Amino acid sequence: MSRYPARARDIVPPAVVRGLGAGLLCALAWACGGAADPGTAGDPRSAILPEGAPSDFFTPQPVGEPRGDGERPQIAHVTVVDLDGDGLPDILACDAIRNRVAWIRQYPAGTWTETPVTEDVRAPAHVEPTDFDGDGDLDLLVAGLGELFPSDLRIGSVVVLENDGEERFTSRVAAEGIPRVADVRAGDLDGDGDLDLAVAAFGYDHGETLWLENRGGWAFEAHVLQRFSGAINALVADLDDDGARDVVALVSQEWEEIWAFPGPELRQRLLWGTTNPDFGSSWITLVDLDRDGDPDILHSNGDAFDYAPANSRPWHGVQWLENRGGMEFEPHRIADLQGASSPQASDLDGDGDLDVAVVSAYNRWDDESAHSLVWLENNGQMQFAMHRIARSPTHLITLAAGDLDGDGDADLVTGGMHISGPYDRMSRVTVWSNGGPPAP
């Protein structure tokens, strides 16, 4: 139900049913491990190939500051970006326990140094680099939960860290006193030539998806798009190729739906939903996975804070929603993975198509078959075989991909979220260097 800890309970509430259709039928089929009605969506599991051999060509290296004595790291988000423009990719990380947005700079090549960008945003959940003010350097958009754990207090915030060009940052508060904020992205949502902000305010029992209209001079006007709790992502893209920017929101809790708000009107449209209120949506990523020229949706479901203590579910996994045009999306299940989170697409084996890397935040860690990092190999026909990479560290909730060492292939970065046991294989931020698969 939630990437961020939400309600822990013993009884799941009745399903909230809206938008019955192919997506819903596929969700039910995934939960049962079977096929949907052939007359609607065909076999939603036909894209899953038998599991492949484990992969040992990723080499892990902890980067940034080590965890402190007795510290249980809470890294909510990582991303790869060359923040200072020196030609070497860096890492940004949101550390919710330290209230820190960290810049883990790579300089010289292969050497990593962590510097706090800010420690003034409580429980930062997401950081997005973008040139918000158009001055040629990268500013940082920060989503502040205010508190990692459940709360209906209006303690969320949206902060823009304005870069002066020398990686010194001034905090500009775009919104505060709103439900706990899980995500913020930039886009010109009203077509007036400047960047606005799409915001996922997760909340707890009360939340919302909204956009902040840029009024100039670091002033913003809030417009609520939808008042559902559990908003995890609010992404910006042109889904229907009409030239206007659309907002795409993943809503968890009891809703378990993906919504679009097509621009410029930004009226809501349901793209996908399930009647399983325990589905555990955890993340969406927009990517042209089939490379047909339009953005598709990568979606993981692996949250496990529906009950106390946290527990994984057999229907957890990864699916992609194929953009069929006209705001219609066809779901395809591509992996079963308990605790699945933060799927990222990249050509990991250098064969010219997009594979998918995924982490697991909640799993049966006492089981040797439980892995925290896997990749899904695309056979070129949009069918995927899982390869296990690692079972340590555990509780990996966030993942990013990028060529960190300049050798032409995609490396991985992970962050550990250790808010439940066991606590024997903990990590903050880890780089996984891709040495490339062995020659066939």
Side-chain angles (χ1 to χ4, degrees):
M1 288 186 182
S2 143
R3 175 182 175 83
Y4 305 101
R7 46 172 65 90
R9 55 177 170 248
D10 295 321
I11 301 175
V12 178
V16 178
V17 183
R18 287 180 303 280
L20 293 172
L24 181 149
L25 291 171
C26 286
L28 292 175
W30 295 335
C32 298
D37 180 350
T40 56
D43 181 357
R45 299 178 59 84
S46 62
I48 300 178
L49 297 176
E51 185 170 326
S55 294
D56 59 3
F57 54 86
F58 288 93
T59 302
Q61 175 193 358
V63 297
E65 292 182 5
R67 63 183 181 89
D69 291 341
E71 183 182 32
R72 295 172 178 173
Q74 297 175 5
I75 303 298
H77 181 239
V78 293
T79 191
V80 174
V81 62
D82 182 4
L83 186 61
D84 55 359
D86 66 354
L88 295 173
D90 310 309
I91 299 166
L92 296 172
C94 290
D95 189 328
I97 199 170
R98 299 184 183 183
N99 296 324
R100 174 186 294 181
V101 176
W103 173 26
I104 306 177
R105 185 190 183 200
Q106 183 178 191
Y107 185 83
T111 298
W112 303 89
T113 304
E114 179 171 338
T115 302
V117 176
T118 184
E119 293 180 316
D120 294 331
V121 179
R122 290 183 57 199
H126 190 277
V127 58
E128 186 74 10
T130 188
D131 184 5
F132 188 78
D133 53 8
D135 64 354
D137 53 37
L138 289 174
D139 310 300
L140 303 179
L141 313 178
V142 183
L145 284 168
E147 168 63 47
L148 185 67
F149 289 92
S151 176
D152 254 335
L153 295 176
R154 298 178 70 86
I155 53 178
S157 64
V158 176
V159 176
V160 181
L161 299 177
E162 181 189 6
N163 191 343
D164 69 355
E166 299 293 333
E167 288 65 64
R168 296 186 295 260
F169 294 86
T170 300
S171 180
R172 309 288 188 179
V173 178
E176 58 186 344
I178 60 177
R180 296 186 305 152
V181 177
D183 196 8
V184 56
R185 310 293 175 104
D188 185 4
L189 299 177
D190 53 8
D192 66 353
D194 56 24
L195 292 178
D196 309 297
L197 298 171
V199 180
F202 185 97
Y204 176 33
D205 284 317
H206 304 284
E208 58 199 33
T209 301
L210 64 151
W211 71 284
L212 302 177
E213 180 183 357
N214 189 343
R215 306 291 289 176
W218 298 105
F220 297 85
E221 181 179 350
H223 305 272
V224 175
L225 297 172
Q226 188 179 70
R227 295 190 187 276
F228 290 167
S229 60
I232 292 176
N233 295 115
L235 312 183
V236 179
D238 184 3
L239 288 182
D240 52 1
D241 196 28
D242 66 352
R245 308 301 282 173
D246 312 312
V247 177
V248 186
L250 173 62
V251 183
S252 59
Q253 298 285 66
E254 65 266 37
W255 315 104
E256 297 294 349
E257 294 167 339
I258 300 174
W259 289 85
F261 303 87
E265 294 86 2
L266 300 176
R267 295 172 182 163
Q268 66 183 23
R269 176 175 179 141
L270 182 65
L271 300 182
W272 176 90
T274 173
T275 55
N276 179 1
D278 198 18
F279 194 63
S281 287
S282 53
W283 199 253
I284 57 172
T285 303
L286 295 180
V287 60
D288 184 6
L289 193 63
D290 54 3
R291 293 186 166 175
D292 65 351
D294 52 29
D296 308 301
I297 302 172
L298 260 179
H299 173 213
S300 61
N301 64 299
D303 178 73
F305 254 84
D306 314 84
Y307 303 90
N311 206 335
S312 54
R313 297 288 180 267
W315 53 78
H316 285 171
V318 184
Q319 40 278 334
W320 73 287
L321 278 65
E322 179 184 0
N323 190 338
R324 305 290 290 176
M327 288 291 177
E328 298 294 333
F329 287 79
E330 181 180 349
H332 308 273
R333 183 74 159 190
I334 60 175
D336 298 323
L337 177 66
Q338 294 188 41
S341 185
S342 197
Q344 303 294 325
S346 192
D347 184 4
L348 295 172
D349 54 4
D351 65 354
D353 52 37
L354 290 178
D355 310 298
V356 177
V358 196
V359 289
S360 174
Y362 308 102
N363 215 315
R364 303 182 186 279
W365 300 119
D366 56 348
D367 184 343
E368 291 191 0
S369 67
H371 278 62
S372 54
L373 177 61
V374 305
W375 71 286
L376 312 177
E377 181 185 4
N378 188 342
N379 69 352
Q381 303 297 317
M382 303 307 295
Q383 295 176 305
F384 296 81
M386 180 186 294
H387 298 267
R388 304 181 185 218
I389 298 174
R391 59 185 305 267
S392 179
T394 59
H395 299 84
L396 301 180
I397 201 169
T398 180
L399 170 70
D403 185 5
L404 296 173
D405 51 14
D407 65 353
D409 53 29
D411 308 299
L412 304 175
V413 183
T414 59
M417 177 63 72
H418 299 277
I419 54 178
S420 61
Y423 301 106
D424 58 339
R425 289 170 278 166
M426 294 190 289
S427 69
R428 287 187 74 242
V429 180
T430 305
V431 167
W432 303 79
S433 298
N434 184 350

